[in-house]
């Protein structure tokens, strides 16, 4: 599979183990159409999770699949997705004293993914991408912080 394959060309993402790419404390990471995990065992569980829809691995995979659909809604481009992701991360970093990992936790893409990761049918009718992250992006950082803390 080419590294820069358009998000709309992917119907699924496979998990692979690359422990040096992922920070400790995180379960997975979307990287150009792949799900990066800490170990081969975790990758195997995530890859098998489509068969059992009630495991923790299913919610992790669903969270990362939401990022795939978000990339579709950013001009169907991984590059646009990662540039926007980085921009929102930088904006939220100024809240680091109020919230550990604020750049990550207040990122509109992560807010949408965490909100819907347990709803395994969220992506069923979202062929062209998800757009709830845009609503979060329009919120002030203070509003996002309040929403995050209310969860």
């Amino acid at each position: 599979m080419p590294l820069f394959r358009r998000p709309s060309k992917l119907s699924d993402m496979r998990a692979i183990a690359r422990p040096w790419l992922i920070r400790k404390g995180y379960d997975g990471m979307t990287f150009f159409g792949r799900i990066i995990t800490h170990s081969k065992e975790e990758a195997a569980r995530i890859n098998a999770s489509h068969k059992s829809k009630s495991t923790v691995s299913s919610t992790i995979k669903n969270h990362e699949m939401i990022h795939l659909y978000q990339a579709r809604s950013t001009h169907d481009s991984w590059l646009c997705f990662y540039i926007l992701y980085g921009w929102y991360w930088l904006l939220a970093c100024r809240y680091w004293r109020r919230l550990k990992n604020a750049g990550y936790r207040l990122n509109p893409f992560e807010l949408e993914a965490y909100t819907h990761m347990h709803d395994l049918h969220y992506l069923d009718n979202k062929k062209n991408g998800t757009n709830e992250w845009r609503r979060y992006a329009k919120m002030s950082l203070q509003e996002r912080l309040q929403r995050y803390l209310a969860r």
Side-chain angles (χ1 to χ4, degrees):
M1 179 174 88
L3 181 63
F4 292 106
R5 196 166 181 198
R6 288 199 172 277
S8 63
K9 301 293 183 193
L10 299 171
S11 59
D12 193 19
M13 290 195 303
R14 303 289 297 161
I16 57 174
R18 297 289 187 272
W20 51 271
L21 260 181
I22 188 168
R23 282 180 64 186
K24 196 172 188 175
Y26 293 91
D27 294 318
M29 177 178 87
T30 299
F31 189 72
F32 291 100
R34 301 259 193 219
I35 300 171
I36 309 297
T37 65
H38 290 283
S39 68
K40 289 181 181 180
E41 294 79 19
E42 286 179 79
R45 277 194 300 274
I46 290 171
N47 289 332
S49 69
H50 69 279
K51 296 173 187 161
S52 78
K53 292 281 187 181
S54 62
T55 66
V56 171
S57 297
S58 294
T59 58
I60 293 168
K61 181 159 187 175
N62 196 46
H63 177 99
E64 301 306 332
M65 288 296 292
I66 290 170
H67 291 317
L68 168 66
Y69 282 71
Q70 290 168 339
R72 289 179 183 176
S73 69
T74 56
H75 304 291
D76 197 24
S77 166
W78 287 112
L79 187 59
C80 286
F81 173 75
Y82 289 122
I83 288 171
L84 276 173
Y85 191 102
W87 173 251
Y88 291 126
W89 185 86
L90 285 171
L91 289 176
C93 278
R94 64 181 173 204
Y95 274 65
W96 68 272
R97 286 189 175 150
R98 296 183 195 181
L99 180 66
K100 185 180 177 187
N101 295 326
Y104 174 77
R105 300 192 189 284
L106 300 181
N107 192 306
F109 294 114
E110 294 300 338
L111 288 171
E112 179 181 19
Y114 275 106
T115 299
H116 298 289
M117 69 188 275
H118 296 287
D119 178 2
L120 300 180
H121 298 289
Y122 178 65
L123 297 173
D124 289 348
N125 298 317
K126 308 259 191 247
K127 192 173 197 167
N128 296 321
T130 60
N131 289 302
E132 192 172 314
W133 65 270
R134 295 177 196 271
R135 184 171 51 92
Y136 292 120
K138 290 179 183 175
M139 292 179 177
S140 70
L141 283 171
Q142 186 62 38
E143 289 172 313
R144 285 189 235 161
L145 178 63
Q146 289 170 352
R147 183 167 180 83
Y148 174 81
L149 295 174
R151 285 192 300 155

